[in-house]
């Protein structure tokens, strides 16, 4: 057997790993005033990885590392989106992090390690690689949540995240070990073939599926495995919350695609996980949207809204066909954009010693700065799914896929809960436009933040009016890779 | 029953006993020592499977390094056992119920096709010159090199995270900086103060 495998498909990963190690060492020689150098190097590493991924993309699935690693169009597109998400997150959080003493080399190193973990997950073709990528991502995230160690809430959040995350990993591993027992293989493509040849419904496989779906539910934050989401979103420093809520969701989508769709996508198993996902999706939509109404803390509210959005993502996946998967992918991309923008706004209004994380802090934003109020309005409209913003189109695409799959009642339920959800998004808009400002501090962000945040908000409108290209990209990459 | 079978059941029984004692022993030091016993017996069972490298590593790494450290920690921490065990019995009914349901489900599922000895045939006997260690090393550095490298990166993350979270430059910590000690001047350490002589108060 040939072991010297071509390394070109994994070139971006190798480059990023090299850069992390370089940044870790180079950071030692940088004084605190010049920490910008580390920041610039980090951005450079991500930009470089973007270019490499773009150049090495061939459009055909390529396997390397004895079949552990796959480089197909889906992975290339998702990886490039991850780089963009992380770069935007770094720009938004730079002033916030600098004011809170977290502007250190370790922060950037952990961000890059987490990015590497996401890339490993996205390109995994082996259960071992999937699991190790997930752990690489999760461990970096746990550490980032705990980075502000003098804050009691951050430490508590990190502890909860760690314990529940470890439990979820355990479940996932248990499920994977049963899969191995039943099929004798860990490689996803070979796993799928074996399951197909097994034919009839197999109890051990179903048992493994239960554990795997439960583990995935934990990682996604879908009800009934959502307990950690509000506490972690609330307790973590906003920059880290932004990070947890953005790029990792893309990796989670890839994880589901690889494991459930590619690995366990045989006819007799799809029926099984469809039922489990239906339960999780309906519960997530219900609890996420209803509980969010009672929140006064914006970060908590967005956490519950995340749970609701994950319900929508599951709806797209459980449709079980290419249209549904593409709709799910479109939804995740849009969700990441919306999430980046809204947490970016929270950080924009925060300043030294003050966190603009309560709903009251957004009161009268229109009187203070009409432009940012407008951006936030676009973001909230998009989250609620009001046309002509892109959130409407994303929900529409998912619902269409659900109806096509024959679950009309599910679509009705989803629309009902989205209506309930619209209430708390619009309440924020009302606070911004019709209430008197409680806070009169001037908003004067750096120019790069201003530019990017404006672009982010306007993207809601642009993609809402012209969703075609992005949707075509999603459909194309899903079709080329499955 | 063959001799191998007797050995297997003997070690398994010791392993189960040790595992049970780990969670029921009152004294945490005893619990840790029972864990050491559990490791030793699992190593023996591995040895029966001709996995001598794994067996030795288990003893060396877990018993030799991890558990010794663990014992140190347990001895240094002042754990209040009475408080930990206060509600032990009140949780028991619920815990036992969940455990029984789980075991029953597992038995129902696994007793079918995959349970029993038929599903898991004994490994074929290995040739005399066969080296377990060499074989593992070959696999780790060829077929599984990707996973192996990612595991290494995870360890690196653990190091970075541990240092980032715990390293704290405290002002009150006293540490020496030879460069500063050498370059110190008299003026830094001593100050001459001119004072007017005080007069004794007249009464």
């Amino acid at each position: 057997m040939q072991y010297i495998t071509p390394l070109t498909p994994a070139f971006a990963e190798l480059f990023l790993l090299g850069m992390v190690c370089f940044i870790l060492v180079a950071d030692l020689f940088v004084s605190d005033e010049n920490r910008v150098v580390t920041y610039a190097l980090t951005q450079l590493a991500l930009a470089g990885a973007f270019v490499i991924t773009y150049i090495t993309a061939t459009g055909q699935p390529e396997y390397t590392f004895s079949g552990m690693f796959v480089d197909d169009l889906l992975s290339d597109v998702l990886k490039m989106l991850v780089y963009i998400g992380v770069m935007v997150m770094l720009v938004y959080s730079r002033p916030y992090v600098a004011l809170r003493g977290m502007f250190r080399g370790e922060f950037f190193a952990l961000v890059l390690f987490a990015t590497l973990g996401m890339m490993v997950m996205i390109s995994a073709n082996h259960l071992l690689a999937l699991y190790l990528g997930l752990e690489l991502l999760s461990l970096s995230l746990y550490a980032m949540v705990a980075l502000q160690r003098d804050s009691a809430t951050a430490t508590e959040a990190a502890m909860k995240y760690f314990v529940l995350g470890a439990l979820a990993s355990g479940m996932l591993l248990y499920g994977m070990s049963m899969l191995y027992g039943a099929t004798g293989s860990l490689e996803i493509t070979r796993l799928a073939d074996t399951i197909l040849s097994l034919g009839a419904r197999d109890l051990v496989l179903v048992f493994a599926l239960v554990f795997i779906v439960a583990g995935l539910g934990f990682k996604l934050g879908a009800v009934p495995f959502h307990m950690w989401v509000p506490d972690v979103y609330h307790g973590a420093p906003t920059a880290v919350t932004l990070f947890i809520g953005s790029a990792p969701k893309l990796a989670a989508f890839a994880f589901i695609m690889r494991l459930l769709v590619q690995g366990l996508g045989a006819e007799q198993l799809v029926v099984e996980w469809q039922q489990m996902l239906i339960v999780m999706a309906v519960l997530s939509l219900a609890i996420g949207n209803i509980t969010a109404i009672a929140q006064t803390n914006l970060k908590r509210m967005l956490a519950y809204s995340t749970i609701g959005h994950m319900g929508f993502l599951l709806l797209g996946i459980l449709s079980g066909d290419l249209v549904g998967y593409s709709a799910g992918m479109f939804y995740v991309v849009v969700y990441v954009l919306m999430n980046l923008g809204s947490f970016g706004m929270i950080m924009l209004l925060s300043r030294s010693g003050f966190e603009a994380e309560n709903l009251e802090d957004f009161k009268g934003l229109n009187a203070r700065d009409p432009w940012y109020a407008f951006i936030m309005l676009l973001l909230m409209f998009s989250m609620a799914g009001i046309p002509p913003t892109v959130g409407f189109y994303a929900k529409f695409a998912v619902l269409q896929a659900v109806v096509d799959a024959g679950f009309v009642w599910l679509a009705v339920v989803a629309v009902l809960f989205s209506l309930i959800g619209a209430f708390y998004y619009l309440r924020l808009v009302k606070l911004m436009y019709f209430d008197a400002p409680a806070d009169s501090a001037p908003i004067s962000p750096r120019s790069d933040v201003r530019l990017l945040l404006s672009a982010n908000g306007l993207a809601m409108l642009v993609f809402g009016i012209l969703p075609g290209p992005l949707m075509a990209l999603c459909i194309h990459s899903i079709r080329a890779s499955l | 029953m063959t001799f191998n079978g007797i050995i297997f059941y003997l070690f398994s029984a010791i392993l189960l006993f040790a595992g049970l004692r780990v969670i029921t022993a009152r004294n945490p030091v005893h619990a840790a020592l029972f864990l050491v016993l559990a490791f030793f017996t699992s190593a023996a069972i591995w040895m029966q499977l001709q996995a001598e490298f794994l067996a030795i590593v288990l003893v060396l790494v877990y018993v030799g390094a991890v558990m010794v450290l663990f014992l140190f920690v347990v001895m240094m921490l002042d754990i209040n056992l009475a408080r930990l065990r206060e509600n032990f019995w009140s949780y028991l009914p619920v815990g036992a119920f969940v455990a029984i349901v789980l075991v029953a489900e597992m038995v129902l599922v696994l007793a079918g096709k995959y349970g029993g000895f038929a599903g898991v045939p004994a490994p074929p006997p290995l040739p005399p010159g066969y080296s377990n260690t060499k074989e593992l090393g070959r696999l780790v550095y060829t077929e599984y090199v990707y996973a192996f490298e990612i595991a290494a990166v995870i360890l690196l993350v653990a190091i970075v995270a541990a240092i980032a979270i715990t390293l704290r430059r405290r002002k009150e910590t006293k540490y020496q900086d030879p460069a500063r000690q050498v370059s110190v001047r008299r003026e830094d350490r001593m100050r001459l103060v001119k004072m007017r002589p005080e007069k004794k108060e007249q009464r």
Side-chain angles (χ1 to χ4, degrees), chain A residues 76-216:
Chain A
D76 287 328
V77 169
L78 282 176
K79 269 186 221 169
M80 284 194 259
L81 289 169
V82 163
Y83 305 141
I84 295 174
V86 176
M87 285 167 90
V88 171
M89 167 261 166
L90 282 174
V91 173
Y92 285 167
S93 48
R94 182 177 158 195
Y96 180 92
V97 168
L99 282 176
R100 279 157 188 78
M102 285 158 61
F103 200 64
R104 292 182 316 205
E106 296 85 29
F107 179 77
F108 298 108
L110 287 174
V111 166
L112 287 184
F113 275 127
T115 312
L116 189 66
M118 292 181 231
M119 293 161 74
V120 171
M121 278 164 77
I122 288 172
S123 273
N125 189 42
H126 197 277
L127 296 184
L128 254 184
L130 263 185
Y131 174 71
L132 285 172
L134 180 69
E135 282 305 291
L136 184 53
L137 167 66
S138 310
L139 275 175
S140 314
L141 288 182
Y142 304 148
M144 284 175 72
V145 173
L147 215 47
Q148 218 176 20
R149 58 192 160 190
D150 292 323
S151 150
T153 49
T155 318
E156 186 196 329
M159 206 60 213
K160 275 186 186 158
Y161 195 19
F162 179 68
V163 172
L164 287 177
L167 190 67
S169 298
M171 289 217 189
L172 214 53
L173 272 184
Y174 200 31
M176 286 177 179
S177 71
M178 275 191 257
L179 274 186
Y180 183 63
T183 63
S185 170
L186 284 172
E187 205 176 310
I188 288 176
T189 33
R190 221 185 299 165
L191 195 76
D193 293 342
T194 319
I195 292 175
L196 266 182
S197 64
L198 279 179
R201 189 167 162 278
D202 196 314
L203 261 180
V204 177
L205 284 179
V206 177
F207 212 67
L209 197 63
V210 173
F211 278 98
I212 283 176
V213 169
L216 283 177

Side-chain angles (χ1 to χ4, degrees), chain A residues 66 68-69 149 174 204 207, chain B residues 106 114 143-144 146 165 167:
Chain A
S66 355
M68 279 201 168
F69 183 97
R149 58 192 160 190
Y174 200 31
V204 177
F207 212 67
Chain B
M106 287 296 287
Y114 294 93
E143 206 169 322
Y144 292 97
Y146 184 56
I165 294 175
L167 183 68

Side-chain angles (χ1 to χ4, degrees), chain B residues 6 23 25 29 43 59 69 71 80 116 119 124 146:
Chain B
I6 295 171
I23 53 170
V29 178
V59 171
L69 266 182
L71 268 180
N80 190 347
Y146 184 56

Side-chain angles (χ1 to χ4, degrees), chain A residues 32-54:
Chain A
D32 266 343
E33 305 89 68
N34 296 330
R35 201 59 75 192
V36 186
V37 176
T38 317
Y39 169 80
L41 276 175
T42 310
Q43 293 281 32
L44 203 70
L46 289 164
F50 187 95
V51 172
I52 292 173
T53 307
Y54 186 77

